[in-house]
Amino acid sequence: MAIIEFPKEMKWGAATAAYQIEGAALEDGRGLSIWDTFSKTPGNVLNGDNGDVACDSYHRYKEDVQIMKELGINVYRFSISWPRIFPAGTGEINQKGLQYYHNLVDELLENGIEPMCTLYHWDLPQALQDQGGWENRKTVDAFADYAEQIFKEFDGKIKKWITINEPWCVSFLSNFIGIHAPGFQNLKLATDISHHLLLAHGKAVARFRDLKVEGSIGYAPNTEWLEPFSSKQEDIDACNRGMGWFIEWFFDPVFKGQYPHFMLEVFDKHGAAPAIQAGDMEIISQKIDFVGINYYTGSVGRYKKDADLFDLEKVDIGYEKTDFDWNIYPEGFYKVLLKIKDQYGDIPVYITENGACYNDEVENGRVKDQGRIDYLKQHLTSLKRAMDSGVQIKGYLAWSLLDNFEWAEGYHKRFGIVHVDFNTLKRTKKDSYYWYKQTVKNGWFDMNY
Ligand SMILES: CCOCCOc1ccc(-c2cn(C[C@@H]3NC[C@@H](O)[C@H]3O)nn2)cc1
C-alpha cells in the first residue's frame, strides 16, 4: 500500500491560457496579438496551426465550467487576453472583451470554483509589438495600466492574481532561442526584455497595493532541474548556471532585489547585461503574496566548453520521455521546490503548471492515457515529499484542463486531461480526468492503483 495523502485545505485545480483555448480571435472587437501574427507566418508553428478557433472556449466556457465542476476542482487558472481588453494595447477599452471575462468569472463563482487570473500569458497586443514590444520600456507602463484596469474591474470577484506567466519563455525562448513569438534571436534583446518583464510585474504589484485590491498576487516562473552528471565541480557549476537561467535570474530580483552575480557574469561576457535604471530593482522586489511554480521536466548535465551559453551540455541517460520528448523526472520537482525554499524562504507556493504531453486519441469513446496518470502520480508524490520537508504548498493546478494550442507545436502536442477533437470541438474526458477527479475528492491516491 503506498498511499500519498494531502492536507484537506490544499487547493486543487487546472490551468489554461487565453490564446491556447479561446478562439474567437477576430470576434467582438479583439485586437491582434503577437501570436496571431507569429502563428500565421509560415514555418513558425507545426502544421501551420493558429489560435483562430482553438478549443472555442470563448463560446463554450459554460460547458468547460461544467467539466470543471464534475472534476471537483475548487480553483481554475485562466488568463485574460490583453488585446481583447485593449485592442490597440492602450487607449480605448473593448467592453465586449470585459463582458466575456465577467461571464466566465461569474460562471465559475456560481459553480463554486475560484478564479485565478493570469494577466499576461504571452499574447502581447501586436500594436505594442509594432512599437518595440517588451524591448520598449513604454510597454512596461502599458502593462501596468492594463493591469490596473483589470484590477478595478474585477476587484472582489477575482482574488488570486498572477502578473506574468513564465518570463523565461517570454524573454529567452521568444527572443534568444526564437521558437516562440515574436521569434527573435538576440541575447541582449532577451536580457533587456527579461528585465522589463520583471519591472512590469513590479509595477503591476504596486498598482495592486495602491488600489487596495482584495486578495493575493504573485507571478509564475517556469523551472527545470539539472542534475550534475558527476561530482566534478565543473559539472556542478555548469548545472547551476543552466538552472540559474530559469530560477535565480527570475527569483533573485524579486526576492533579493538584485540579479545573481554568477548569471550577470555570463551575460556580461556576451555583451548582454540588461539595462537597469535607478529605482528598477526596488520596484521589482516589492513583497508578493505567493509564487506560482511551473515544473515539467529535468535533465542530467555536464560541463562542455562552448556547448551552449553556460558551457553546459545535457546528457541523455535513458530516462523515459513524454510525447514532448521531455524526460520524466519527478525527483527534479522535489529538488526544485526544496531549492526555492532554501534560497528564498517560506514563500507560499502554488503549483500553477505541472503536467505531461501524451497524444493518446479517442478509441470507442475513451482515452486511455495511463502515461499521464503515472506522470501525475510521480509528480504529486514529489510534491508531498516537498510538503513534508516544509515547503508551503497552497495548491496544485494541473496543466492542462483541455488539449489546446501548444504554441510552436500547435494542436499536435496534447497536455489536457480532457481530449479535444479540433475538427468537431467535442470534449472527451480522458482516464486521467477520472483519476484526478478521484484524487481531488479523496485528497489522496494509492500509487499502486
Ligand atoms: C534550449 C532549447 O529549448 C528548445 C525548446 O524549449 C522549450 C522550453 C520550454 C517550453 C515550454 C512549454 N511549456 C508548456 C507551456 N507553459 C505555459 C503553458 O502555456 C504551456 O503551454 N512550458 N515550457 C517549450 C520549449
Side-chain angles (χ1 to χ4, degrees):
M1 189 83 142
I3 299 290
I4 304 294
E5 189 164 7
F6 298 91
K8 291 280 176 272
E9 66 276 9
M10 187 172 124
K11 298 280 187 182
W12 292 92
T16 65
Y19 190 76
Q20 295 182 270
I21 70 162
E22 286 180 0
L26 304 174
E27 203 166 317
D28 286 347
R30 177 182 178 275
L32 291 180
S33 76
I34 56 174
W35 269 96
D36 296 288
T37 307
F38 187 77
S39 63
K40 291 178 180 173
T41 304
N44 285 341
V45 177
L46 195 60
N47 304 323
D49 290 341
N50 61 61
D52 282 356
V53 177
C55 306
D56 193 35
S57 290
Y58 186 79
H59 300 109
R60 298 167 191 254
Y61 69 92
K62 290 191 177 184
E63 176 186 358
D64 293 341
V65 172
Q66 288 311 305
I67 289 171
M68 298 177 217
K69 187 175 183 180
E70 184 193 329
L71 181 60
I73 59 173
N74 46 36
V75 60
Y76 172 59
R77 178 182 178 224
F78 66 98
S79 77
I80 289 182
S81 168
W82 185 347
R84 213 180 271 287
I85 308 303
F86 287 98
T90 59
E92 191 177 335
I93 292 171
N94 175 31
Q95 291 303 326
K96 286 185 176 179
L98 284 178
Q99 190 55 54
Y100 167 68
Y101 294 106
H102 276 296
N103 296 343
L104 172 61
V105 169
D106 293 345
E107 194 72 18
L108 289 166
L109 294 172
E110 284 161 23
N111 286 278
I113 301 168
E114 184 177 9
M116 176 187 275
C117 175
T118 305
L119 289 163
Y120 188 71
H121 202 124
W122 306 359
D123 42 0
L124 185 73
Q126 182 59 46
L128 293 177
Q129 185 62 40
D130 294 344
Q131 298 165 48
W134 286 111
E135 183 184 17
N136 184 344
R137 278 179 75 107
K138 286 181 181 171
T139 302
V140 172
D141 294 320
F143 177 74
D145 292 341
Y146 153 63
E148 176 167 336
Q149 187 61 40
I150 300 299
F151 292 146
K152 286 176 179 172
E153 188 77 26
F154 293 95
D155 186 11
K157 277 189 179 181
I158 299 175
K159 298 177 182 175
K160 284 185 177 59
W161 296 91
I162 290 167
T163 53
I164 308 275
N165 184 69
E166 298 190 346
W168 180 89
C169 289
V170 181
S171 52
F172 293 106
L173 186 61
S174 304
N175 292 280
F176 172 57
I177 297 167
I179 66 170
H180 279 194
F184 296 119
Q185 294 183 309
N186 178 318
L187 184 61
K188 168 65 172 162
L189 172 64
T191 55
D192 281 342
I193 286 173
S194 68
H195 181 66
H196 292 165
L197 287 165
L198 288 169
L199 192 58
H201 156 79
K203 289 195 172 198
V205 174
R207 301 285 180 94
F208 183 86
R209 303 295 187 212
D210 291 347
L211 290 166
K212 295 183 172 39
V213 179
E214 187 182 355
S216 55
I217 192 165
Y219 69 140
N222 55 304
T223 64
E224 69 173 60
W225 183 259
L226 282 168
E227 187 67 25
F229 183 80
S230 80
S231 60
K232 285 191 293 186
Q233 195 58 47
E234 63 183 22
D235 288 354
I236 294 167
D237 293 347
C239 286
N240 284 338
R241 290 190 295 269
M243 278 195 284
W245 200 15
F246 294 88
I247 299 175
E248 283 86 341
W249 187 256
F250 291 100
F251 278 74
D252 279 24
V254 173
F255 294 101
K256 297 183 176 179
Q258 62 183 34
Y259 284 99
H261 183 71
F262 75 101
M263 294 304 295
L264 272 174
E265 261 186 342
V266 174
F267 293 137
D268 208 24
K269 199 169 65 177
H270 294 84
I276 301 169
Q277 291 185 14
D280 286 355
M281 301 316 289
E282 287 73 23
I283 292 169
I284 290 171
S285 60
Q286 61 192 282
K287 185 184 172 303
I288 54 175
D289 305 306
F290 67 86
V291 62
I293 301 285
N294 296 354
Y295 176 89
Y296 289 93
T297 188
S299 301
V300 170
R302 67 184 167 200
Y303 175 81
K304 183 176 181 182
K305 185 147 182 55
D306 299 332
D308 73 356
L309 267 183
F310 310 108
D311 296 330
L312 165 73
E313 72 165 349
K314 291 183 181 177
V315 184
D316 188 340
I317 62 170
Y319 286 122
E320 268 193 73
K321 293 178 171 51
T322 68
D323 288 348
F324 211 97
D325 199 31
W326 285 349
N327 293 326
I328 300 169
Y329 199 125
E331 182 77 7
F333 190 23
Y334 169 62
K335 291 190 173 181
V336 157
L337 291 170
L338 259 59
K339 177 184 176 77
I340 288 165
K341 177 182 186 301
D342 293 348
Q343 293 183 192
Y344 305 104
D346 289 337
I347 177 87
V349 172
Y350 285 91
I351 304 305
T352 35
E353 287 180 32
N354 175 245
C357 172
Y358 285 99
N359 300 326
D360 304 284
E361 290 294 351
V362 181
E363 289 177 22
N364 303 319
R366 185 180 166 190
V367 182
K368 297 179 183 175
D369 60 334
Q370 187 60 43
R372 181 172 288 103
I373 293 171
D374 294 343
Y375 177 99
L376 291 173
K377 283 181 174 178
Q378 293 160 358
H379 287 76
L380 283 168
T381 299
S382 286
L383 186 67
K384 176 66 163 117
R385 291 177 63 196
M387 296 172 84
D388 286 1
S389 308
V391 179
Q392 271 194 71
I393 300 292
K394 309 297 283 183
Y396 175 89
L397 292 91
W399 183 270
S400 178
L401 177 74
L402 303 171
D403 291 337
N404 60 54
F405 177 79
E406 179 48 44
W407 309 112
E409 301 296 331
Y411 298 103
H412 176 65
K413 293 280 194 304
R414 295 177 176 272
F415 277 87
I417 58 174
V418 176
H419 181 278
V420 177
D421 178 327
F422 291 103
N423 295 312
T424 65
L425 299 168
K426 179 174 168 31
R427 277 82 163 135
T428 304
K429 296 161 186 135
K430 301 181 186 177
D431 286 0
S432 58
Y433 172 96
Y434 295 106
W435 179 86
Y436 192 56
K437 175 179 177 179
Q438 193 60 49
T439 300
V440 168
K441 183 181 178 203
N442 294 341
W444 57 266
F445 67 88
D446 184 334
M447 184 55 87
N448 300 322
Y449 290 95

